[in-house]
Amino acid sequence: MQPDQDVIKRWTGSAPFWEKHRNIIRLMFAPVTQALVEDAQISSQDSVLDVAMGPGEPALSLAALFGPGGKIVGVDPIPEMVAAARREADRLRLKNVQFDVAFADHLPLAADTFDAVVSRFGVMFFPSPVDGVREMLRVLKPGSKLALAVWHFAERNPFHHALSRVVDRYVDSPPPAADAADAFRFAPPGKLREVLIQAGAMAPSERLLRFTIQAPISVEEFWTLRREMSDKLAEKMATLSKEQAAKVKTEMLEALGEYSTDGGMSFPAEVLIVSGGKRR
Ligand SMILES: C[S@@+](CC[C@H](N)C(=O)[O-])C[C@H]1O[C@@H](n2cnc3c(N)ncnc32)[C@H](O)[C@@H]1O
């Protein structure tokens, strides 16, 4: 299937910011990484594939966690993301990782290779999620598991909603089509599980992960991080006049104040973890 050029352009533009904020992003979503490790049944000697890893997560966390025993391969279609992952692996002197440029529906990897496949916040952007999951199943060893993390509804996630609620009062934001490449494409329970069934996964299951997104930064720093991470938010802000943008920022900082604690920002969060296996 043809990659969505708009998706490619958006992720290329945000790659430098995902690299800039990598440490906070790793901390914020560590509970999601942990859930993927549990549901894909990963252990320290495994060879693991991370699809749509952006600048290297959860691949880098897994490599650091498991040490030299396991082998981690990460792929992303955006060369700038892959270069960022390689820079961090070099900085950390990790020897057990390999990063390649690849789309999910065309993995340049041999069949029956991996003990586990994971993808955190990636599958919603694939032009064909079924083809992407089929490829993950192809490269898995028989009897092994894949686990995918996707956002539950925006309204259950103030990490997103506290911001969109403010900006959407100023910018016309029609809801995306049901199958548009969007962060909340797989929010409806059962929708991604159905994709796994269509792709031929064994015993597909889904669980709701409730956790706390913790970021040891100020409200103002959080606003910068979110504006830079989210091309959509940056795009909406760019349509505003200077006066409107200043008003939005003031209202935004006020709305985010609700989630500010002594230790930094803290948001209740909900993610779906969907997993399945490859036939023996
Ligand atoms: C929200 S980021 C997630 C990054 C990382 N996994 C994390 O959790 O921090 C989504 C990633 O999906 C990648 N992506 C978009 N379309 C893709 C496709 N067709 N195949 C594989 N990855 C894709 C983007 O390049 C981007 O790096």
Side-chain angles (χ1 to χ4, degrees), residues 178-198:
D179 273 320
D182 179 79
F184 302 101
R185 179 181 186 176
F186 289 115
K191 190 174 173 186
L192 182 55
R193 192 173 163 274
E194 184 55 37
V195 167
L196 264 67
I197 292 169
Q198 278 183 41

Side-chain angles (χ1 to χ4, degrees), residues 57-80:
E57 287 297 333
L60 289 161
S61 290
L62 296 182
L65 196 68
F66 294 149
K71 163 102 202 245
I72 315 291
V73 176
V75 297
D76 198 276
I78 308 298
E80 289 79 356

Side-chain angles (χ1 to χ4, degrees), residues 60-124:
L60 289 161
S61 290
L62 296 182
L65 196 68
F66 294 149
K71 163 102 202 245
I72 315 291
V73 176
V75 297
D76 198 276
I78 308 298
E80 289 79 356
M81 292 286 197
V82 175
R86 288 183 181 143
R87 274 193 287 278
E88 185 66 357
D90 286 349
R91 194 185 70 78
L92 296 171
R93 293 193 164 82
L94 294 172
K95 300 275 179 261
N96 55 346
V97 291
Q98 173 195 321
F99 298 126
D100 295 312
V101 175
F103 286 97
D105 56 9
H106 201 81
L107 299 172
L109 299 161
D112 304 339
T113 301
F114 294 95
D115 298 299
V117 177
V118 293
S119 185
R120 197 179 77 179
F121 306 135
V123 64
M124 50 278 248

